[in-house]
Short mmCIF file of all heavy atoms in Angstrom, two decimals:
data_model
loop_
_atom_site.label_atom_id
_atom_site.label_comp_id
_atom_site.label_asym_id
_atom_site.label_seq_id
_atom_site.Cartn_x
_atom_site.Cartn_y
_atom_site.Cartn_z
N LEU L 264 102.45 123.27 80.01
CA LEU L 264 101.53 122.39 79.28
C LEU L 264 100.30 123.13 78.78
O LEU L 264 99.79 122.83 77.71
CB LEU L 264 101.07 121.23 80.16
CG LEU L 264 102.01 120.06 80.30
CD1 LEU L 264 101.40 119.03 81.23
CD2 LEU L 264 102.33 119.45 78.97
N ASN L 265 99.83 124.07 79.56
CA ASN L 265 98.62 124.82 79.17
C ASN L 265 98.83 125.64 77.91
O ASN L 265 97.86 126.06 77.28
CB ASN L 265 98.15 125.70 80.32
CG ASN L 265 97.57 124.87 81.44
OD1 ASN L 265 97.08 123.77 81.22
ND2 ASN L 265 97.64 125.38 82.65
N LYS L 266 100.07 125.87 77.52
CA LYS L 266 100.36 126.59 76.28
C LYS L 266 100.28 125.66 75.07
O LYS L 266 100.33 126.11 73.94
CB LYS L 266 101.76 127.20 76.35
CG LYS L 266 101.90 128.25 77.41
CD LYS L 266 103.31 128.79 77.47
CE LYS L 266 103.45 129.78 78.61
NZ LYS L 266 104.83 130.26 78.73
N HIS L 267 100.14 124.36 75.30
CA HIS L 267 100.08 123.36 74.23
C HIS L 267 98.71 122.68 74.25
O HIS L 267 97.88 122.95 75.11
CB HIS L 267 101.19 122.34 74.40
CG HIS L 267 102.56 122.94 74.38
ND1 HIS L 267 103.16 123.39 73.24
CD2 HIS L 267 103.42 123.21 75.38
CE1 HIS L 267 104.35 123.89 73.53
NE2 HIS L 267 104.53 123.79 74.84
N ASP L 268 98.50 121.77 73.33
CA ASP L 268 97.23 121.05 73.22
C ASP L 268 97.26 119.83 74.15
O ASP L 268 97.56 118.72 73.73
CB ASP L 268 97.00 120.63 71.77
CG ASP L 268 95.57 120.21 71.52
OD1 ASP L 268 94.73 120.37 72.42
OD2 ASP L 268 95.31 119.72 70.41
N VAL L 269 96.96 120.04 75.44
CA VAL L 269 97.07 118.99 76.45
C VAL L 269 96.18 117.77 76.17
O VAL L 269 96.61 116.66 76.41
CB VAL L 269 96.78 119.56 77.87
CG1 VAL L 269 96.81 118.47 78.92
CG2 VAL L 269 97.79 120.64 78.21
N PRO L 270 94.95 117.92 75.64
CA PRO L 270 94.13 116.72 75.42
C PRO L 270 94.75 115.70 74.48
O PRO L 270 94.32 114.55 74.47
CB PRO L 270 92.83 117.28 74.85
CG PRO L 270 92.75 118.66 75.36
CD PRO L 270 94.18 119.14 75.41
N LYS L 271 95.74 116.07 73.69
CA LYS L 271 96.37 115.12 72.78
C LYS L 271 97.64 114.51 73.35
O LYS L 271 98.21 113.61 72.76
CB LYS L 271 96.69 115.80 71.46
CG LYS L 271 95.47 116.21 70.68
CD LYS L 271 95.85 116.78 69.35
CE LYS L 271 94.61 117.16 68.56
NZ LYS L 271 94.94 117.70 67.25
N LEU L 272 98.12 115.00 74.50
CA LEU L 272 99.37 114.54 75.06
C LEU L 272 99.19 113.33 75.96
O LEU L 272 98.20 113.23 76.68
CB LEU L 272 100.03 115.65 75.88
CG LEU L 272 100.52 116.87 75.13
CD1 LEU L 272 101.09 117.89 76.11
CD2 LEU L 272 101.58 116.49 74.13
N TRP L 273 100.15 112.42 75.91
CA TRP L 273 100.24 111.30 76.84
C TRP L 273 101.44 111.56 77.72
O TRP L 273 102.44 112.12 77.29
CB TRP L 273 100.44 109.99 76.09
CG TRP L 273 99.18 109.44 75.50
CD1 TRP L 273 98.54 109.89 74.40
CD2 TRP L 273 98.43 108.34 76.00
NE1 TRP L 273 97.42 109.14 74.17
CE2 TRP L 273 97.34 108.18 75.14
CE3 TRP L 273 98.58 107.48 77.06
CZ2 TRP L 273 96.40 107.20 75.32
CZ3 TRP L 273 97.65 106.50 77.25
CH2 TRP L 273 96.55 106.36 76.39
N PHE L 274 101.36 111.16 78.98
CA PHE L 274 102.45 111.36 79.91
C PHE L 274 102.94 110.00 80.41
O PHE L 274 102.16 109.21 80.92
CB PHE L 274 102.00 112.22 81.09
CG PHE L 274 103.12 112.61 82.01
CD1 PHE L 274 104.00 113.61 81.66
CD2 PHE L 274 103.29 111.96 83.23
CE1 PHE L 274 105.03 113.98 82.50
CE2 PHE L 274 104.31 112.33 84.08
CZ PHE L 274 105.18 113.33 83.72
N GLN L 275 104.22 109.73 80.22
CA GLN L 275 104.82 108.48 80.69
C GLN L 275 105.72 108.81 81.87
O GLN L 275 106.55 109.71 81.82
CB GLN L 275 105.64 107.83 79.59
CG GLN L 275 106.36 106.59 80.05
CD GLN L 275 107.25 106.02 78.97
OE1 GLN L 275 107.08 106.31 77.80
NE2 GLN L 275 108.19 105.20 79.37
N GLN L 276 105.58 108.04 82.93
CA GLN L 276 106.32 108.29 84.15
C GLN L 276 106.98 107.00 84.62
O GLN L 276 106.40 105.93 84.51
CB GLN L 276 105.35 108.81 85.21
CG GLN L 276 105.98 109.16 86.51
CD GLN L 276 104.93 109.57 87.50
OE1 GLN L 276 103.88 108.96 87.57
NE2 GLN L 276 105.20 110.60 88.26
N ASP L 277 108.19 107.13 85.16
CA ASP L 277 108.84 105.94 85.69
C ASP L 277 108.23 105.57 87.03
O ASP L 277 107.37 106.26 87.56
CB ASP L 277 110.35 106.15 85.80
CG ASP L 277 110.72 107.28 86.73
OD1 ASP L 277 109.82 107.86 87.37
OD2 ASP L 277 111.91 107.59 86.82
N GLY L 278 108.65 104.46 87.60
CA GLY L 278 108.05 103.96 88.83
C GLY L 278 108.77 104.35 90.09
O GLY L 278 108.60 103.71 91.12
N THR L 279 109.58 105.40 90.05
CA THR L 279 110.29 105.84 91.24
C THR L 279 109.30 106.22 92.32
O THR L 279 108.27 106.83 92.06
CB THR L 279 111.18 107.06 90.90
OG1 THR L 279 112.01 106.73 89.81
CG2 THR L 279 112.02 107.47 92.08
N THR L 280 109.60 105.85 93.55
CA THR L 280 108.67 106.05 94.66
C THR L 280 108.25 107.50 94.82
O THR L 280 107.06 107.79 94.99
CB THR L 280 109.30 105.55 95.97
OG1 THR L 280 109.70 104.20 95.79
CG2 THR L 280 108.31 105.61 97.11
N CYS L 281 109.19 108.44 94.75
CA CYS L 281 108.82 109.85 94.93
C CYS L 281 107.97 110.36 93.77
O CYS L 281 107.20 111.29 93.94
CB CYS L 281 110.06 110.71 95.10
SG CYS L 281 111.17 110.69 93.68
N HIS L 282 108.08 109.73 92.60
CA HIS L 282 107.27 110.15 91.45
C HIS L 282 105.86 109.58 91.50
O HIS L 282 104.98 110.04 90.79
CB HIS L 282 107.92 109.73 90.14
CG HIS L 282 109.24 110.39 89.90
ND1 HIS L 282 110.10 109.96 88.93
CD2 HIS L 282 109.85 111.44 90.49
CE1 HIS L 282 111.18 110.72 88.94
NE2 HIS L 282 111.05 111.62 89.89
N THR L 283 105.67 108.54 92.29
CA THR L 283 104.36 107.90 92.36
C THR L 283 103.67 108.14 93.70
O THR L 283 102.81 107.37 94.10
CB THR L 283 104.48 106.39 92.10
OG1 THR L 283 105.39 105.82 93.06
CG2 THR L 283 104.98 106.10 90.70
N ALA L 284 104.02 109.22 94.37
CA ALA L 284 103.31 109.60 95.60
C ALA L 284 101.86 109.90 95.26
O ALA L 284 101.54 110.33 94.15
CB ALA L 284 103.98 110.80 96.24
N LEU L 285 100.98 109.68 96.20
CA LEU L 285 99.55 109.84 95.96
C LEU L 285 99.20 111.24 95.47
O LEU L 285 98.41 111.39 94.53
CB LEU L 285 98.77 109.51 97.24
CG LEU L 285 97.26 109.52 97.13
CD1 LEU L 285 96.80 108.50 96.10
CD2 LEU L 285 96.63 109.22 98.47
N ALA L 286 99.80 112.25 96.06
CA ALA L 286 99.51 113.63 95.64
C ALA L 286 99.96 113.88 94.20
O ALA L 286 99.27 114.54 93.42
CB ALA L 286 100.19 114.62 96.58
N THR L 287 101.10 113.32 93.84
CA THR L 287 101.62 113.49 92.48
C THR L 287 100.74 112.78 91.47
O THR L 287 100.38 113.34 90.43
CB THR L 287 103.06 112.95 92.39
OG1 THR L 287 103.87 113.59 93.37
CG2 THR L 287 103.63 113.15 91.01
N ILE L 288 100.37 111.54 91.76
CA ILE L 288 99.53 110.76 90.84
C ILE L 288 98.16 111.43 90.69
O ILE L 288 97.64 111.52 89.57
CB ILE L 288 99.38 109.31 91.33
CG1 ILE L 288 100.74 108.59 91.24
CG2 ILE L 288 98.35 108.56 90.52
CD1 ILE L 288 101.29 108.46 89.83
N ASP L 289 97.59 111.91 91.78
CA ASP L 289 96.28 112.59 91.69
C ASP L 289 96.36 113.84 90.82
O ASP L 289 95.47 114.10 90.01
CB ASP L 289 95.77 112.95 93.08
CG ASP L 289 95.30 111.74 93.86
OD1 ASP L 289 95.07 110.68 93.23
OD2 ASP L 289 95.18 111.85 95.09
N LEU L 290 97.43 114.61 90.97
CA LEU L 290 97.60 115.81 90.16
C LEU L 290 97.76 115.46 88.68
O LEU L 290 97.15 116.08 87.81
CB LEU L 290 98.82 116.60 90.65
CG LEU L 290 99.14 117.88 89.89
CD1 LEU L 290 97.99 118.88 90.02
CD2 LEU L 290 100.43 118.48 90.41
N LEU L 291 98.54 114.43 88.39
CA LEU L 291 98.74 114.02 86.99
C LEU L 291 97.47 113.41 86.39
O LEU L 291 97.18 113.60 85.22
CB LEU L 291 99.91 113.04 86.89
CG LEU L 291 101.28 113.65 87.17
CD1 LEU L 291 102.34 112.56 87.22
CD2 LEU L 291 101.63 114.71 86.15
N LYS L 292 96.70 112.67 87.20
CA LYS L 292 95.42 112.13 86.72
C LYS L 292 94.45 113.26 86.39
O LYS L 292 93.72 113.17 85.41
CB LYS L 292 94.80 111.21 87.77
CG LYS L 292 95.40 109.84 87.83
CD LYS L 292 94.70 109.01 88.89
CE LYS L 292 95.32 107.66 89.07
NZ LYS L 292 94.67 106.90 90.16
N ASP L 293 94.44 114.30 87.21
CA ASP L 293 93.57 115.45 86.93
C ASP L 293 93.97 116.15 85.65
O ASP L 293 93.13 116.66 84.91
CB ASP L 293 93.60 116.45 88.09
CG ASP L 293 92.89 115.93 89.32
OD1 ASP L 293 92.11 114.96 89.19
OD2 ASP L 293 93.14 116.48 90.41
#
Side-chain angles (χ1 to χ4, degrees):
L264 279 179
N265 289 334
K266 296 178 184 177
H267 301 286
D268 195 8
V269 177
K271 293 184 179 181
L272 293 178
W273 281 75
F274 187 77
Q275 176 184 341
Q276 182 184 41
D277 61 5
T279 306
T280 305
C281 61
H282 296 167
T283 57
L285 185 60
T287 305
I288 293 297
D289 288 343
L290 180 62
L291 292 172
K292 282 181 184 176
D293 289 342

